[in-house]
Amino acid sequence: MFLRRTRRRVHHMVRFALLGALVSAGVIACATTTDSRGLGGVSAAADTPAIDPDAGARLCETMWADLDDWRQQGSAIARVKFNGVVHTWALRNGASNVAVARHRDAIDTITREQCPKAREQVKQIIDTVDLASGLVGF
């Protein structure tokens, strides 16, 4: 009897967590733009916070560490994992999160400066012309 209640409780918690994740993804997706002017039509380039070089180095290190796995998994899975890496990295670095949310090209800028070889390899693996095109949910 106790096990049945526990399973039911866990099942409801999982459903609630999935619902929360879907709502969060919807909010994030609605707040993004592919317009280079950023949100609200204001130029994002002028108000984009700079990404700390140390934060950029951490992103590069993470990408380097995952390149071999991404190659083996194919472009679709690699793109999802690349997005996960960038989202996690951006959340851990507050200014980076704002910069990427307002101006996805910030990822290309920082990787072009800090790790151009890794950037090129990631572009090939996820099959995009630039890293900003591979980002979803910002």
Side-chain angles (χ1 to χ4, degrees):
M1 183 74 155
F2 176 74
L3 185 59
R4 188 176 296 158
R5 273 190 247 146
T6 304
R7 282 185 186 164
R8 192 173 291 159
R9 201 174 296 153
V10 169
H11 179 70
H12 290 295
M13 289 172 39
V14 169
R15 286 176 50 194
F16 184 75
L18 286 173
L19 178 63
L22 288 173
V23 168
S24 297
V27 168
I28 290 170
C30 290
T32 62
T33 179
T34 57
D35 184 0
S36 62
R37 293 180 297 156
L39 298 173
V42 177
S43 175
D47 63 355
T48 300
I51 295 175
D52 181 346
D54 290 337
R58 286 188 294 274
L59 175 62
C60 289
E61 289 170 8
T62 305
M63 289 185 346
W64 272 118
D66 292 335
L67 282 175
D68 289 335
D69 289 337
W70 293 348
R71 267 191 209 92
Q72 294 174 357
Q73 295 164 344
S75 65
I77 294 173
R79 187 178 294 211
V80 170
K81 291 195 172 188
F82 166 69
N83 273 275
V85 163
V86 173
H87 279 276
T88 302
W89 167 81
L91 288 172
R92 288 182 179 160
N93 299 282
S96 300
N97 195 19
V98 171
V100 176
R102 289 186 179 165
H103 191 56
R104 291 185 301 171
D105 291 337
I107 294 298
D108 283 298
T109 302
I110 195 69
T111 56
R112 192 178 295 117
E113 294 170 2
Q114 300 236 347
C115 53
K117 290 181 183 177
R119 178 180 177 272
E120 289 303 316
Q121 290 183 39
V122 172
K123 284 183 356 183
Q124 290 174 353
I125 293 168
I126 65 174
D127 195 27
T128 60
V129 294
D130 58 13
L131 297 182
S133 299
L135 293 174
V136 178
F138 275 104

